[in-house]
Amino acid sequence: PAPLVLTGLGGDTSLEARQPTAYPELERETLLEAETYGRISAALEDRMPWRTDLVGFRSRLARRGLIPNPFEKVVFGRGDWLYVAESFDPHCPEPERSAVIQRLAAVAGLLKDHGIDFRVTLIPNKASIHEDGIPAWIRDEHAIARSATADLRDRMTRQPGWFIDLEPALRSRLRRDPDRPLYHPTDTHWTWAGGEIFVAGLVGALVPDLYDPVEVVQVAEVPVTFDLDRLSGSSAER
């Protein structure tokens, strides 16, 4: 791509959620080293014209199983669902889980002594709620990762009053209305329906019977390129 880049044409890596590779500092001692040429090549490739279109084309091929997945941060699931490749769940092993609960309990007690209502919830990741879309090859790894968070959640549920357990409400809503996702298929975040469950749970824990879903009105939709679309090289707006 060097001639095209040097004539002023250029692409970008913004839809890949990263900065372009920096050009290396050219020094006499390292000018002829293979590593220097490799870094120059990577920098030119990141600025190659039509890069976004080419990366998006590669993403579409991978999502249809025509080439291996080249995007290490994203797992391609069933029915065009995308998931984060690495779960955060296993990063809170013992004794960290016990320390988390002890510290939160101490904060809750301190705030209660000062008349302040304190609430904590654990936000389930998408794979733990929309499990049907997870490909078979990663299911065992997913189950192992989830065990640490399930343990933390169960122990918090036994705490007196300050923990809000959202998972039962999310699962119940999905059973009642399986065609209305609670997380965006190509994003890590809640849809309107999933976010509403959080708001209802929080308000209900603080002021029972205050929340009325009829009074909540969605006034607009905004087109965006979702985070897992971006990480998989797609520029699709949804």
Side-chain angles (χ1 to χ4, degrees), residues 89 92 94 97-98 100-101 104 120-124 143 146-168 171:
D89 296 86
C92 190
E94 284 292 352
R97 293 199 293 275
S98 294
V100 166
I101 295 172
L104 286 173
V120 170
T121 189
L122 289 175
I123 309 302
R146 281 288 298 156
S147 64
T149 298
D151 174 69
L152 182 61
R153 173 176 160 260
D154 290 343
R155 290 160 65 177
M156 282 189 172
T157 302
R158 296 194 288 270
Q159 296 297 309
W162 51 260
F163 179 65
I164 303 172
D165 188 2
L166 289 179
E167 195 156 318
R171 291 187 179 280

Side-chain angles (χ1 to χ4, degrees), residues 181-216:
L182 303 178
Y183 292 72
H184 294 286
T186 61
D187 195 89
T188 57
H189 298 90
W190 283 325
T191 60
W192 169 272
E196 183 188 17
I197 292 172
F198 165 71
V199 173
L202 176 60
V203 174
L206 295 171
V207 188
D209 302 321
L210 174 64
Y211 182 78
D212 182 358
V214 176
E215 296 181 353
V216 181

Side-chain angles (χ1 to χ4, degrees), residues 63-89:
R63 288 163 83 161
R64 284 158 179 76
L66 299 176
I67 62 172
N69 176 20
F71 306 100
E72 60 183 19
K73 296 181 180 179
V74 179
V75 170
F76 293 156
R78 300 174 183 174
D80 208 32
W81 278 66
L82 304 179
Y83 296 90
V84 175
E86 181 183 6
S87 170
F88 290 107
D89 296 86

Side-chain angles (χ1 to χ4, degrees), residues 10-68:
D12 65 72
T13 59
S14 59
L15 281 170
E16 299 167 59
R18 66 181 181 86
Q19 295 295 318
T21 302
Y23 288 107
E25 295 285 341
L26 297 180
E27 300 176 355
R28 181 179 300 175
E29 296 80 5
T30 60
L31 186 60
L32 299 180
E33 292 182 358
E35 182 181 352
T36 300
Y37 282 97
R39 292 168 63 188
I40 293 173
S41 177
L44 289 170
E45 287 177 7
D46 279 359
R47 294 161 176 80
M48 183 173 64
W50 312 293
R51 178 182 177 86
T52 297
D53 296 322
L54 293 170
V55 172
F57 178 67
R58 183 175 63 168
S59 175
R60 290 192 293 275
L61 291 178
R63 288 163 83 161
R64 284 158 179 76
L66 299 176
I67 62 172

